[in-house]
Amino acid sequence: MNVFALTFALMLAIVLLELLALRYWRKEAIPWHEIVFNLNSGHILMWALRGVEVAMFGWLLTHANLHLVDRLPLYAQWLVAIVGWDLSFYCMHRAHHRWPLLWAVHRVHHQGEHFSLSLGIRNSWYSSLTSLLFVAPLAVLGLPLELFVAASSFHYAVQLYNHNAFVGRSGWLEGLLVTPAAHRVHHATHPLYLNRNFGGTFLLWDRCFGSYQPPRDYVPLVYGVPGSAASFNPLLASNPWLAAWSDRWWPASRAGEGWQISGPYIASGAVVLFGWVIYYVQMAGGFSPWQQWSLFGGLLAGTLALGAMSDRQRRGWQAWQALALGLPLVCVLLGLRDAAALILSALLLLHGVLGWRRAEGAA
């Protein structure tokens, strides 16, 4: 398994383990539809656009490189990569909260009302496209592409950890790093906490630029975006203008209209589809163009179908049933008959069959 597929697999595993712990250890109800959205928003299109960000960084490195960093000793290059990327992230994150256009992209991350590892995956599909402006100086300075990818991957892994639901205070680390306690402050809606703690890994930038706020025991932690009623469809939630258009031409069914699939059913479908994402990432280098684009289209259609089911749209369930039958058939016709593809096809078909016994009422 390549490093990217392994990363996806580990990410899915720890998210599911945390959910099990929340359910059976803390006895908390699982917000299934929100979890499905979180997984969907961390899906194939977001990472494809992350590839666009990396490609544009490489283009700048080729055409605007001042060669100030790549001439340094390797240890110094790593230092620039780790510290420089984190400073770039702080600037980007603060701008996301201050500039209305960037907030329109970033707000989907804050619409999650439950603080857990899956919230760390929840992002606009287009967030990587807003990053280039802030990481471009690293390319101009000559940070090698492989170090840029490694440093950003490291920081994203830390930010996934920062969203976990179980770690309270982290002792002396609270003064150095953006711990889960510090990041809960960032997501909380209380006026004392708004627009605070923008850092990704190091707390240094918040302390230097006056945006640090420690958690206070007397201030409640309530998450989400007040007054927001976001769609569970990541395509619509990532585009507030498209969502407004969709409400007019493609209205979602509501509870009183009698169409609702159980939360665990949709969540299990999201896990199966995430398995297909891992397969795609693992095998992408060996696909023919037809295989790659057919599977990419199937994964994208699956995220939209799951989101529409969460939005109580009957057409979402219909699209999911079509995908459960169509994607395995397409894989067979295109020659994707290895063991992993056959197992995932069987799971998807089984999930589609079970969908005919749809449950009334969400869990």
Side-chain angles (χ1 to χ4, degrees), residues 30-167:
I30 303 299
W32 292 112
H33 293 96
E34 186 172 310
I35 298 300
V36 170
F37 180 94
N38 295 349
L39 290 175
N40 265 347
S41 66
H43 248 210
I44 194 69
L45 186 57
M46 188 189 79
W47 286 97
L49 294 176
R50 159 77 165 152
V52 173
E53 175 198 353
V54 173
M56 291 301 298
F57 187 95
W59 185 89
L60 284 173
L61 199 61
T62 301
H63 294 91
N65 191 345
L66 298 178
H67 297 287
L68 298 178
V69 175
D70 52 14
R71 294 173 179 170
L72 297 174
L74 185 59
Y75 76 88
Q77 293 182 36
W78 273 105
L79 182 63
V80 171
I82 296 296
V83 176
W85 194 94
D86 199 54
L87 175 58
S88 298
F89 177 86
Y90 173 87
C91 296
M92 177 192 69
H93 198 183
R94 188 160 185 167
H96 275 169
H97 282 256
R98 298 295 188 182
W99 300 353
L101 182 61
L102 293 184
W103 174 246
V105 174
H106 183 62
R107 72 195 299 265
V108 65
H109 179 63
H110 283 265
Q111 287 172 333
E113 297 179 352
H114 301 83
F115 198 91
S116 67
L117 283 172
S118 71
L119 183 60
I121 306 173
R122 182 189 182 109
N123 281 290
S124 166
W125 278 349
Y126 315 104
S127 58
S128 286
L129 298 182
T130 67
S131 302
L132 187 62
L133 173 65
F134 300 93
V135 299
L138 297 177
V140 174
L141 291 173
L143 180 68
L145 182 63
E146 60 273 18
L147 294 191
F148 168 73
V149 173
S152 58
S153 299
F154 165 75
H155 284 294
Y156 284 135
V158 171
Q159 289 166 45
L160 178 67
Y161 165 77
N162 285 345
H163 290 85
N164 84 79
F166 283 94
V167 173

Side-chain angles (χ1 to χ4, degrees), residues 257-333:
E257 298 181 16
W259 186 263
Q260 190 170 359
I261 303 294
S262 73
Y265 177 79
I266 303 175
S268 59
V271 172
V272 173
L273 196 67
F274 213 96
W276 278 104
V277 173
I278 295 169
Y279 174 78
Y280 179 92
V281 173
Q282 170 67 19
M283 302 293 290
F287 285 148
S288 69
W290 276 105
Q291 290 171 332
Q292 180 168 355
W293 287 108
S294 296
L295 189 53
F296 185 95
L299 295 174
L300 182 57
T303 67
L304 300 179
L306 290 168
M309 278 196 287
S310 292
D311 279 347
R312 301 174 183 174
Q313 294 176 332
R314 180 168 182 166
R315 58 175 59 90
W317 179 80
Q318 293 168 335
W320 182 256
Q321 300 306 308
L323 183 74
L325 175 63
L327 185 59
L329 180 60
V330 168
C331 286
V332 170
L333 292 176

